[in-house]
Structures are given as structure tokens and as C-alpha cells.
Amino acid sequence: MIDLHCHALPGVDDGPAQQAGALALLRAAAAGGTRTVVATPHVSPRYRTSPETIDAGVAGMRAALAAERVELELLGGAEVAMELALELPDAVLRQLTLGDSSCLLLESPLAPAVGPVFERCVAELQQRGYRILLAHPERAPAFLSRPQRLQALVEGGALCSITASSLDGRFGAAARWYALELLRDGLVHSVDSDAHDAIGRPPGLTAGLTAAAETLPPLRERAAWLTTGAPAALLADAPLPG
Ligand SMILES: [Fe+2]
């Protein structure tokens, strides 16, 4: 499996503070069947993480994984907030995409009253050549209250990454319900962990999907597409598989 959204670098954002914690997170990801993790630290007004910091963090964790013989591919990326996506020059933003792809993980707005500036941001980024993957739209109050906004973004080419643990209720009943609705409507293109540590917000991808399949049995067939097939296509800048 491939995890496109994971706060796996130590001392960079609100993920693990130390390398030992980051290693425990990545070890848990590998033990749960994840083979590729994209480290996606926040790039936001609060955490203005630079591409150089991300590169150094990825290199450090790759060395630690090799030393500990943890079989896991670690790639660099970021979870970019709208404010920074609009502010950063292209030369910087290009370095914040997932792996070597043109796919940018854009944080869904957490402010309930976010206006059309978010849609304008997505459109501008798409015009600049980025493939937009929206992080955890099921947790965005603006989309929960007006789902047609998210539907229109997807019709315009944006893709959706939901958080695996939204499916087992970790973020509340509303996020769980909305995540299931998005899956039912075919509006989800990747299921990712948004892990921040090994235990509190852990990296597993399958528990949530297994729980969701109880209410949505077709998910059993779709799980591999959501956790491997589609994310692999995003990293390769390829069309999504059927
Ligand atoms: Fe995140």
C-alpha cells in the first residue's frame, strides 16, 4: 500500500518530536502493510516548512530506516495550506509536490466560513499545472455543510484523499458519515493515514476501510484501488486506473 499523507518527519511540524518517534511511526506503517510513505509535513502559516528542511528530514529518516532494516520507501512531499499555496513562488511549490509528481496535497479548509477563495486557489493551481489532491475533505466544515462545493471541485478535476481513521469514527460521527457518502458517490481517490505518531494518530490504512466495508460492502473490492492503484498513478503522473 501507499500512504500519500503522513506527518513522518521528526521535529518539523506537529508530527513526531524526535527521530525515535518518527521511526516508530514508520515501523508501524511497514508492519501494517504500507510499502511507500510520502512524508507530508505542514506547509502553513503556522509551520512554514521549507523544501530544504523536508529533503534533510527525508534523508535522515531514510538512513534510519536502512540502519534499522525497515523495508519502506520514503518519499518527500508536503501538506500545503491554501495561504501558502497562493503565496509561494512556483520554484518552491514545485518542490513540495508528492515525490517527483505534479500532484500537490492541498489542505482542505478547516475554517467553516471559507469563501470562494478556496475554489479560486484550486483553479489557479490547476492552471499552473498541478494535479490537486485535497487532504481530508470529509473533515472540512465548509464541505460538510455544502457538499456541492466539493462535488464541483471534483468535477473540475480535483481529487480527494480521505483519512483512513475518519472511517472508524476517530474524527466524529459527521466526518465518518461524510467519508462514507464520498466513498459511495465515487468521490474518493485515495485513502491515507494523516498519521502524526505511532499510537495516538497511527499510520494504519486498513482498519478504517474494513470497518467501512461493513456498511458499504463494495469497498472490499475497491480497497486496493484506494490504497495502492490510484495513489501509485498519482505518484507516476499517470491517469487513474479504471
Ligand atoms: Fe495532515
Side-chain angles (χ1 to χ4, degrees):
M1 294 185 290
I2 298 171
D3 188 355
L4 297 179
H5 184 177
C6 186
H7 298 262
L9 302 182
V12 169
D13 60 358
D14 54 348
Q18 310 286 342
Q19 192 184 75
L23 196 55
L25 187 166
L26 292 172
R27 203 192 285 279
T34 300
R35 292 289 162 261
T36 299
V37 168
V38 186
T40 54
H42 289 289
V43 175
S44 65
R46 183 169 179 195
Y47 301 105
R48 302 181 75 94
T49 317
S50 72
E52 292 74 23
T53 299
I54 296 168
D55 285 351
V58 169
M61 288 316 300
R62 281 180 179 163
L65 290 167
E68 296 287 322
R69 293 195 165 78
V70 180
E71 285 201 28
L72 188 78
E73 179 186 32
L74 184 66
L75 303 174
E79 179 182 15
V80 183
M82 172 182 71
E83 295 86 343
L84 275 283
L86 291 169
E87 172 191 318
L88 289 171
D90 228 32
V92 176
L93 214 49
R94 287 277 155 203
Q95 298 178 68
L96 297 175
T97 56
L98 302 180
D100 293 325
S101 75
S102 65
C103 186
L104 193 70
L105 182 67
L106 183 67
E107 186 170 26
S108 292
L110 295 175
V114 67
V117 65
F118 188 77
E119 279 83 352
R120 282 201 298 272
C121 173
V122 171
E124 183 194 312
L125 292 167
Q126 288 172 325
Q127 278 160 17
R128 286 160 65 185
Y130 297 98
R131 198 178 197 184
I132 298 303
L133 181 63
L134 297 172
H136 49 69
E138 79 282 6
R139 291 192 265 141
F143 296 151
L144 260 163
S145 60
R146 287 188 58 204
Q148 62 271 32
R149 284 183 75 177
L150 182 61
Q151 186 149 1
L153 284 165
V154 174
E155 282 165 8
L159 304 169
C160 294
S161 156
I162 63 167
T163 303
S165 54
S166 288
L167 295 169
D168 54 27
R170 177 177 298 267
F171 295 100
R176 178 175 180 273
W177 170 83
Y178 190 27
L180 286 169
E181 286 294 299
L182 293 175
L183 284 166
R184 191 176 281 125
D185 292 345
L187 297 177
V188 179
H189 308 91
S190 186
V191 173
D192 301 292
S193 75
D194 197 9
H196 283 63
D197 56 51
I199 295 164
R201 288 182 65 180
L205 297 177
T206 50
L209 278 166
T210 304
E214 308 244 324
T215 37
L216 204 58
L219 265 186
R220 289 189 194 105
E221 307 275 305
R222 200 61 170 166
W225 188 91
L226 290 163
T227 55
T228 306
L234 292 178
L235 287 178
D237 273 344
L240 294 179

